[in-house]
Amino acid sequence: MSSAHSATLAENLRRLRETRGLSLSQLSDRSGIAKATLFKIERGHANPTLDTLVAIADTFDVQVTSLIASSPRAVIDVVRDGEGVEDISDDASVGFVLRRMVVGAGSIEIHSQRFQPDAVETSPSHGSGAREHVLVRSGRIEAGPVGLEVDLGPGDYATYPADRTHRWRAIDQEAAVFIVHTFPRAATVVE
């Protein structure tokens, strides 16, 4: 591997690891690659085998080519209100998936939703280990696992397991919320 490729690999590995909040030890545990080897790769002082590159790529759920390819970096990524990668509107709410991304071996999905007054939406389990993180932008909403719903107002944040049936109901007026779904593994996402 050329020194230019080694430097790019080192930068990409470090960026992926830091973005996911992993130490070298944690990455070693997840990938099965020795910590010393990962340390050398991040310093640009190693010529890893294809098996090593595949193990690292699999850990981050990326292609091997993305580990050794340099790419331009976006300074900021903006999703304007009312836009998103997928419309998830129904009779009870109007919403969009703002972003989907893989984080380590898991993934997150960010929604912006507006719930209609007194309409009830019941969501099935999103899979084992899934959680929802809710931040109310405006209005009031009852949200949470069935039988454990809580009343949330503007600026309130709540998180709860989403691996069981849960319910949403806007109280008195439309409620606007941000919802972050976290999944322990990308394959856990239930659509």
Short mmCIF file of all heavy atoms in Angstrom, two decimals, residues 24-67:
data_model
loop_
_atom_site.label_atom_id
_atom_site.label_comp_id
_atom_site.label_asym_id
_atom_site.label_seq_id
_atom_site.Cartn_x
_atom_site.Cartn_y
_atom_site.Cartn_z
N LEU A 24 -9.67 2.61 20.88
CA LEU A 24 -9.00 1.54 20.13
C LEU A 24 -9.33 0.17 20.73
O LEU A 24 -9.52 -0.81 20.02
CB LEU A 24 -7.49 1.77 20.09
CG LEU A 24 -6.99 2.77 19.07
CD1 LEU A 24 -5.49 3.02 19.26
CD2 LEU A 24 -7.26 2.29 17.65
N SER A 25 -9.41 0.10 22.06
CA SER A 25 -9.74 -1.17 22.73
C SER A 25 -11.14 -1.64 22.34
O SER A 25 -11.34 -2.83 22.06
CB SER A 25 -9.66 -1.02 24.24
OG SER A 25 -8.33 -0.79 24.64
N GLN A 26 -12.10 -0.71 22.32
CA GLN A 26 -13.47 -1.09 21.95
C GLN A 26 -13.53 -1.54 20.49
O GLN A 26 -14.19 -2.52 20.16
CB GLN A 26 -14.42 0.08 22.18
CG GLN A 26 -14.64 0.39 23.64
CD GLN A 26 -15.36 1.70 23.86
OE1 GLN A 26 -15.08 2.71 23.19
NE2 GLN A 26 -16.30 1.71 24.79
N LEU A 27 -12.82 -0.82 19.62
CA LEU A 27 -12.79 -1.21 18.22
C LEU A 27 -12.13 -2.59 18.06
O LEU A 27 -12.59 -3.42 17.28
CB LEU A 27 -12.06 -0.17 17.38
CG LEU A 27 -11.92 -0.48 15.89
CD1 LEU A 27 -13.28 -0.71 15.24
CD2 LEU A 27 -11.17 0.65 15.18
N SER A 28 -11.10 -2.83 18.82
CA SER A 28 -10.43 -4.13 18.79
C SER A 28 -11.40 -5.24 19.20
O SER A 28 -11.48 -6.27 18.54
CB SER A 28 -9.22 -4.11 19.73
OG SER A 28 -8.63 -5.38 19.80
N ASP A 29 -12.14 -5.01 20.28
CA ASP A 29 -13.11 -6.01 20.75
C ASP A 29 -14.18 -6.28 19.69
O ASP A 29 -14.55 -7.43 19.45
CB ASP A 29 -13.80 -5.55 22.04
CG ASP A 29 -12.87 -5.56 23.23
OD1 ASP A 29 -11.81 -6.22 23.17
OD2 ASP A 29 -13.20 -4.90 24.24
N ARG A 30 -14.68 -5.22 19.04
CA ARG A 30 -15.76 -5.38 18.07
C ARG A 30 -15.29 -5.99 16.75
O ARG A 30 -16.03 -6.72 16.10
CB ARG A 30 -16.42 -4.03 17.78
CG ARG A 30 -17.23 -3.52 18.95
CD ARG A 30 -17.94 -2.24 18.61
NE ARG A 30 -18.65 -1.74 19.77
CZ ARG A 30 -19.50 -0.74 19.73
NH1 ARG A 30 -19.77 -0.13 18.59
NH2 ARG A 30 -20.10 -0.33 20.83
N SER A 31 -14.07 -5.67 16.34
CA SER A 31 -13.59 -6.11 15.03
C SER A 31 -12.81 -7.41 15.08
O SER A 31 -12.66 -8.09 14.06
CB SER A 31 -12.70 -5.03 14.41
OG SER A 31 -11.50 -4.88 15.16
N GLY A 32 -12.26 -7.75 16.27
CA GLY A 32 -11.41 -8.93 16.37
C GLY A 32 -9.99 -8.67 15.89
O GLY A 32 -9.20 -9.60 15.74
N ILE A 33 -9.65 -7.41 15.65
CA ILE A 33 -8.30 -7.02 15.21
C ILE A 33 -7.53 -6.54 16.43
O ILE A 33 -8.06 -5.78 17.25
CB ILE A 33 -8.37 -5.88 14.15
CG1 ILE A 33 -9.26 -6.26 12.98
CG2 ILE A 33 -6.97 -5.47 13.70
CD1 ILE A 33 -8.80 -7.45 12.19
N ALA A 34 -6.29 -6.96 16.56
CA ALA A 34 -5.47 -6.58 17.72
C ALA A 34 -5.36 -5.07 17.84
O ALA A 34 -5.24 -4.35 16.84
CB ALA A 34 -4.09 -7.20 17.60
N LYS A 35 -5.41 -4.58 19.07
CA LYS A 35 -5.31 -3.15 19.34
C LYS A 35 -4.01 -2.58 18.76
O LYS A 35 -4.00 -1.48 18.20
CB LYS A 35 -5.39 -2.90 20.85
CG LYS A 35 -5.31 -1.45 21.24
CD LYS A 35 -5.41 -1.29 22.76
CE LYS A 35 -5.13 0.13 23.18
NZ LYS A 35 -5.18 0.29 24.64
N ALA A 36 -2.92 -3.32 18.89
CA ALA A 36 -1.62 -2.85 18.37
C ALA A 36 -1.68 -2.67 16.85
O ALA A 36 -1.12 -1.71 16.30
CB ALA A 36 -0.52 -3.83 18.75
N THR A 37 -2.36 -3.58 16.16
CA THR A 37 -2.50 -3.47 14.70
C THR A 37 -3.31 -2.23 14.34
O THR A 37 -2.94 -1.48 13.44
CB THR A 37 -3.16 -4.74 14.13
OG1 THR A 37 -2.35 -5.87 14.46
CG2 THR A 37 -3.35 -4.64 12.63
N LEU A 38 -4.42 -2.02 15.06
CA LEU A 38 -5.25 -0.84 14.80
C LEU A 38 -4.47 0.44 15.06
O LEU A 38 -4.58 1.41 14.30
CB LEU A 38 -6.52 -0.89 15.66
CG LEU A 38 -7.50 -2.02 15.32
CD1 LEU A 38 -8.57 -2.13 16.41
CD2 LEU A 38 -8.13 -1.78 13.96
N PHE A 39 -3.67 0.44 16.13
CA PHE A 39 -2.84 1.59 16.46
C PHE A 39 -1.89 1.90 15.30
O PHE A 39 -1.77 3.05 14.87
CB PHE A 39 -2.06 1.32 17.75
CG PHE A 39 -1.14 2.43 18.15
CD1 PHE A 39 -1.62 3.52 18.86
CD2 PHE A 39 0.21 2.38 17.82
CE1 PHE A 39 -0.77 4.56 19.22
CE2 PHE A 39 1.06 3.41 18.20
CZ PHE A 39 0.57 4.50 18.90
N LYS A 40 -1.24 0.87 14.76
CA LYS A 40 -0.30 1.06 13.64
C LYS A 40 -1.03 1.55 12.39
O LYS A 40 -0.51 2.41 11.67
CB LYS A 40 0.45 -0.24 13.33
CG LYS A 40 1.46 -0.62 14.38
CD LYS A 40 2.11 -1.95 14.06
CE LYS A 40 3.04 -2.41 15.16
NZ LYS A 40 3.61 -3.74 14.87
N ILE A 41 -2.23 1.01 12.13
CA ILE A 41 -3.00 1.45 10.95
C ILE A 41 -3.36 2.93 11.09
O ILE A 41 -3.22 3.70 10.14
CB ILE A 41 -4.26 0.58 10.76
CG1 ILE A 41 -3.87 -0.86 10.40
CG2 ILE A 41 -5.17 1.18 9.67
CD1 ILE A 41 -5.06 -1.83 10.41
N GLU A 42 -3.81 3.33 12.28
CA GLU A 42 -4.19 4.73 12.50
C GLU A 42 -2.99 5.68 12.41
O GLU A 42 -3.17 6.87 12.21
CB GLU A 42 -4.87 4.91 13.86
CG GLU A 42 -6.34 4.67 13.83
CD GLU A 42 -7.07 5.28 15.01
OE1 GLU A 42 -6.51 6.11 15.76
OE2 GLU A 42 -8.25 4.92 15.18
N ARG A 43 -1.81 5.16 12.59
CA ARG A 43 -0.60 5.99 12.48
C ARG A 43 -0.02 5.94 11.06
O ARG A 43 0.97 6.61 10.77
CB ARG A 43 0.47 5.56 13.49
CG ARG A 43 0.07 5.60 14.95
CD ARG A 43 -0.42 6.98 15.38
NE ARG A 43 -0.89 7.10 16.73
CZ ARG A 43 -2.11 6.81 17.16
NH1 ARG A 43 -3.00 6.24 16.40
NH2 ARG A 43 -2.47 7.06 18.41
N GLY A 44 -0.62 5.12 10.20
CA GLY A 44 -0.11 4.98 8.83
C GLY A 44 1.14 4.15 8.75
O GLY A 44 1.91 4.24 7.79
N HIS A 45 1.39 3.30 9.76
CA HIS A 45 2.60 2.48 9.83
C HIS A 45 2.32 1.00 9.66
O HIS A 45 3.03 0.16 10.22
CB HIS A 45 3.31 2.69 11.18
CG HIS A 45 3.70 4.11 11.43
ND1 HIS A 45 4.54 4.81 10.60
CD2 HIS A 45 3.32 4.98 12.40
CE1 HIS A 45 4.68 6.05 11.07
NE2 HIS A 45 3.95 6.17 12.16
N ALA A 46 1.27 0.66 8.91
CA ALA A 46 0.94 -0.75 8.71
C ALA A 46 0.48 -0.97 7.28
O ALA A 46 0.03 -0.05 6.62
CB ALA A 46 -0.15 -1.19 9.69
N ASN A 47 0.64 -2.20 6.83
CA ASN A 47 0.15 -2.60 5.52
C ASN A 47 -0.84 -3.74 5.77
O ASN A 47 -0.48 -4.91 5.67
CB ASN A 47 1.34 -3.05 4.64
CG ASN A 47 0.92 -3.22 3.21
OD1 ASN A 47 -0.18 -2.85 2.81
ND2 ASN A 47 1.83 -3.78 2.42
N PRO A 48 -2.10 -3.38 6.12
CA PRO A 48 -3.06 -4.41 6.55
C PRO A 48 -3.44 -5.36 5.42
O PRO A 48 -3.45 -4.99 4.25
CB PRO A 48 -4.27 -3.59 7.00
CG PRO A 48 -4.15 -2.30 6.29
CD PRO A 48 -2.69 -2.05 6.12
N THR A 49 -3.78 -6.58 5.82
CA THR A 49 -4.24 -7.58 4.85
C THR A 49 -5.68 -7.25 4.45
O THR A 49 -6.37 -6.47 5.12
CB THR A 49 -4.22 -8.99 5.47
OG1 THR A 49 -5.20 -9.03 6.54
CG2 THR A 49 -2.84 -9.36 5.99
N LEU A 50 -6.13 -7.88 3.39
CA LEU A 50 -7.51 -7.70 2.95
C LEU A 50 -8.48 -8.17 4.05
O LEU A 50 -9.50 -7.53 4.30
CB LEU A 50 -7.77 -8.46 1.64
CG LEU A 50 -9.18 -8.34 1.07
CD1 LEU A 50 -9.57 -6.88 0.84
CD2 LEU A 50 -9.30 -9.14 -0.22
N ASP A 51 -8.15 -9.26 4.72
CA ASP A 51 -8.99 -9.76 5.81
C ASP A 51 -9.15 -8.71 6.92
O ASP A 51 -10.23 -8.54 7.48
CB ASP A 51 -8.43 -11.05 6.41
CG ASP A 51 -8.63 -12.25 5.48
OD1 ASP A 51 -9.50 -12.18 4.58
OD2 ASP A 51 -7.93 -13.26 5.68
N THR A 52 -8.05 -8.03 7.24
CA THR A 52 -8.09 -6.99 8.26
C THR A 52 -8.98 -5.84 7.80
O THR A 52 -9.82 -5.34 8.56
CB THR A 52 -6.67 -6.47 8.57
OG1 THR A 52 -5.90 -7.57 9.10
CG2 THR A 52 -6.69 -5.33 9.57
N LEU A 53 -8.84 -5.41 6.54
CA LEU A 53 -9.67 -4.32 6.02
C LEU A 53 -11.15 -4.71 6.01
O LEU A 53 -12.01 -3.90 6.35
CB LEU A 53 -9.21 -3.93 4.61
CG LEU A 53 -7.85 -3.25 4.52
CD1 LEU A 53 -7.46 -3.04 3.06
CD2 LEU A 53 -7.84 -1.93 5.28
N VAL A 54 -11.45 -5.94 5.64
CA VAL A 54 -12.83 -6.41 5.62
C VAL A 54 -13.41 -6.41 7.04
O VAL A 54 -14.54 -5.98 7.26
CB VAL A 54 -12.93 -7.81 4.97
CG1 VAL A 54 -14.30 -8.44 5.20
CG2 VAL A 54 -12.64 -7.72 3.48
N ALA A 55 -12.64 -6.87 8.01
CA ALA A 55 -13.11 -6.90 9.41
C ALA A 55 -13.40 -5.49 9.91
O ALA A 55 -14.42 -5.25 10.57
CB ALA A 55 -12.09 -7.59 10.31
N ILE A 56 -12.55 -4.54 9.58
CA ILE A 56 -12.76 -3.15 9.99
C ILE A 56 -14.00 -2.59 9.28
O ILE A 56 -14.86 -1.97 9.91
CB ILE A 56 -11.52 -2.29 9.69
CG1 ILE A 56 -10.35 -2.73 10.58
CG2 ILE A 56 -11.82 -0.80 9.88
CD1 ILE A 56 -9.00 -2.14 10.19
N ALA A 57 -14.10 -2.81 7.99
CA ALA A 57 -15.25 -2.31 7.22
C ALA A 57 -16.55 -2.90 7.75
O ALA A 57 -17.54 -2.18 7.91
CB ALA A 57 -15.07 -2.63 5.74
N ASP A 58 -16.56 -4.19 8.04
CA ASP A 58 -17.76 -4.83 8.57
C ASP A 58 -18.16 -4.25 9.93
O ASP A 58 -19.34 -4.07 10.21
CB ASP A 58 -17.55 -6.34 8.72
CG ASP A 58 -17.56 -7.08 7.38
OD1 ASP A 58 -17.94 -6.47 6.36
OD2 ASP A 58 -17.18 -8.27 7.37
N THR A 59 -17.17 -3.93 10.75
CA THR A 59 -17.44 -3.36 12.06
C THR A 59 -18.17 -2.02 11.93
O THR A 59 -19.07 -1.72 12.70
CB THR A 59 -16.14 -3.18 12.86
OG1 THR A 59 -15.52 -4.45 13.00
CG2 THR A 59 -16.39 -2.57 14.23
N PHE A 60 -17.76 -1.22 10.95
CA PHE A 60 -18.37 0.10 10.75
C PHE A 60 -19.52 0.07 9.74
O PHE A 60 -20.12 1.10 9.46
CB PHE A 60 -17.32 1.11 10.29
CG PHE A 60 -16.32 1.45 11.36
CD1 PHE A 60 -14.98 1.19 11.17
CD2 PHE A 60 -16.72 2.04 12.54
CE1 PHE A 60 -14.04 1.52 12.14
CE2 PHE A 60 -15.81 2.37 13.53
CZ PHE A 60 -14.46 2.10 13.32
N ASP A 61 -19.81 -1.10 9.19
CA ASP A 61 -20.86 -1.27 8.18
C ASP A 61 -20.63 -0.32 6.99
O ASP A 61 -21.52 0.41 6.56
CB ASP A 61 -22.25 -1.03 8.79
CG ASP A 61 -23.37 -1.56 7.90
OD1 ASP A 61 -23.11 -2.50 7.12
OD2 ASP A 61 -24.48 -1.02 7.96
N VAL A 62 -19.39 -0.33 6.49
CA VAL A 62 -19.02 0.45 5.30
C VAL A 62 -18.33 -0.48 4.31
O VAL A 62 -17.96 -1.60 4.65
CB VAL A 62 -18.08 1.64 5.65
CG1 VAL A 62 -18.76 2.61 6.62
CG2 VAL A 62 -16.75 1.15 6.23
N GLN A 63 -18.16 -0.01 3.09
CA GLN A 63 -17.44 -0.77 2.08
C GLN A 63 -15.93 -0.62 2.32
O GLN A 63 -15.47 0.43 2.79
CB GLN A 63 -17.77 -0.24 0.67
CG GLN A 63 -19.23 -0.37 0.31
CD GLN A 63 -19.65 -1.82 0.18
OE1 GLN A 63 -18.94 -2.64 -0.36
NE2 GLN A 63 -20.83 -2.13 0.70
N VAL A 64 -15.17 -1.62 1.96
CA VAL A 64 -13.71 -1.57 2.10
C VAL A 64 -13.16 -0.38 1.31
O VAL A 64 -12.26 0.33 1.79
CB VAL A 64 -13.05 -2.89 1.63
CG1 VAL A 64 -11.53 -2.74 1.54
CG2 VAL A 64 -13.41 -4.03 2.56
N THR A 65 -13.72 -0.14 0.14
CA THR A 65 -13.23 0.98 -0.69
C THR A 65 -13.36 2.32 0.02
O THR A 65 -12.53 3.21 -0.18
CB THR A 65 -13.97 1.04 -2.03
OG1 THR A 65 -15.39 1.08 -1.78
CG2 THR A 65 -13.64 -0.16 -2.90
N SER A 66 -14.36 2.47 0.88
CA SER A 66 -14.52 3.75 1.59
C SER A 66 -13.44 3.94 2.66
O SER A 66 -13.21 5.06 3.11
CB SER A 66 -15.90 3.87 2.21
OG SER A 66 -16.06 2.96 3.27
N LEU A 67 -12.77 2.85 3.05
CA LEU A 67 -11.67 2.98 4.02
C LEU A 67 -10.41 3.55 3.37
O LEU A 67 -9.62 4.22 4.03
CB LEU A 67 -11.33 1.61 4.62
CG LEU A 67 -12.35 0.98 5.56
CD1 LEU A 67 -11.88 -0.41 5.97
CD2 LEU A 67 -12.57 1.85 6.78
#
